[in-house]
Amino acid sequence: MVKRKLQILDIYSDSFGIHIWLLSEDGKRFSVFRRFRPYFYVGEKNSKDALKLLIKRFGKKIKIEKVLKKDLLKGELQVHKVTANTPFTYLKAVHLLRKNRVIEDTDIYNIQLTPAQIFMYEKKIFPFCTVEPVERNGKVMFRKIDSAEKTDYRIFDLRIMRIKPDIEGGNPKYMKYLPPLYIEMEGESGIVLDDGNLEYLSQFLKKKTLIS
């Protein structure tokens, strides 16, 4: 495998896992998908009803185990770690606890975080973190070669695109049809797309942003 450096552009979750958008040194962008099981913690205080509710609603879609968690103010705490089988289940479980109010929010840890944020924390990665692909047992993985403590590091070249309606007056929000769009790419002269063809616009943007 040819070694090359990549930088993380964006990370977001869907119902089943995490999408990571990467940027190569030559400006190409692509995404990879990783399954992920996000988790939160339930404190021992008044946890019986909360855990019972979770088990009744999700069954084998969650895993509950007792663990020790480090807390900035309280030190080590004995808590219940609730691991969801997917980001979708994680969000549903958090919503269920908040809706039924069987336990105070202050006795639940991580629920203010999105699955993508938990993934970044667990993997110790961050936007524009530099990684390199490595092959392990026939599977491509990504090894972090950057540090969050660094304050001076290179960001790969990015291109800025500006899109705005090519109209005078009026609010595009209330227009029935797509107005002409003025599109300006960094380093190129601007163009106007005025045929209202959303499929053509989509293909144009993919071509200009080198999305593969």
Side-chain angles (χ1 to χ4, degrees), residues 97-156:
L97 291 182
R98 282 180 160 165
K99 179 181 177 181
N100 287 271
R101 298 182 179 179
V102 291
I103 189 171
E104 295 293 330
D105 278 5
T106 52
D107 290 322
I108 316 174
Y109 307 89
N110 271 29
I111 58 171
Q112 75 280 11
L113 302 178
T114 66
Q117 288 172 322
I118 298 171
F119 180 84
M120 286 191 287
Y121 174 79
E122 183 177 289
K123 304 298 182 182
K124 293 180 173 60
I125 55 179
F126 49 91
F128 294 110
C129 172
T130 304
V131 299
E132 65 178 3
V134 294
E135 188 172 342
R136 295 177 184 171
N137 300 321
K139 185 177 180 180
V140 177
M141 309 294 287
F142 295 92
R143 184 174 70 88
K144 188 181 72 164
I145 55 175
D146 214 343
S147 169
E149 283 71 41
K150 290 177 64 176
T151 57
D152 183 19
Y153 57 90
R154 176 193 167 201
I155 294 178
F156 295 169

Side-chain angles (χ1 to χ4, degrees), residues 44-80:
E44 282 200 304
K45 182 181 178 182
N46 302 320
S47 64
K48 184 177 180 179
D49 289 341
L51 299 178
K52 186 178 179 180
L53 182 64
L54 290 170
I55 293 171
K56 181 180 179 181
R57 172 64 178 82
F58 299 104
K60 293 183 179 180
K61 293 181 180 179
I62 60 171
K63 178 183 177 182
I64 300 175
E65 56 186 328
K66 278 190 175 184
V67 299
L68 288 175
K69 180 186 181 302
K70 289 184 178 179
D71 183 81
L72 183 63
L73 300 176
K74 301 177 183 178
E76 272 195 346
L77 297 175
Q78 183 83 44
V79 295
H80 298 275

Side-chain angles (χ1 to χ4, degrees), residues 165-180:
D166 188 39
I167 56 174
E168 291 186 11
N171 189 336
K173 179 179 179 181
Y174 300 106
M175 291 185 175
K176 186 174 181 180
Y177 301 103
L178 182 70

Side-chain angles (χ1 to χ4, degrees), residues 153-190:
Y153 57 90
R154 176 193 167 201
I155 294 178
F156 295 169
D157 293 339
L158 298 171
R159 299 183 71 196
I160 299 174
M161 175 186 288
R162 298 181 178 88
I163 304 177
K164 64 178 182 179
D166 188 39
I167 56 174
E168 291 186 11
N171 189 336
K173 179 179 179 181
Y174 300 106
M175 291 185 175
K176 186 174 181 180
Y177 301 103
L178 182 70
L181 296 177
Y182 179 77
I183 302 178
E184 183 182 34
M185 295 288 296
E186 186 177 18
E188 297 182 10
S189 57

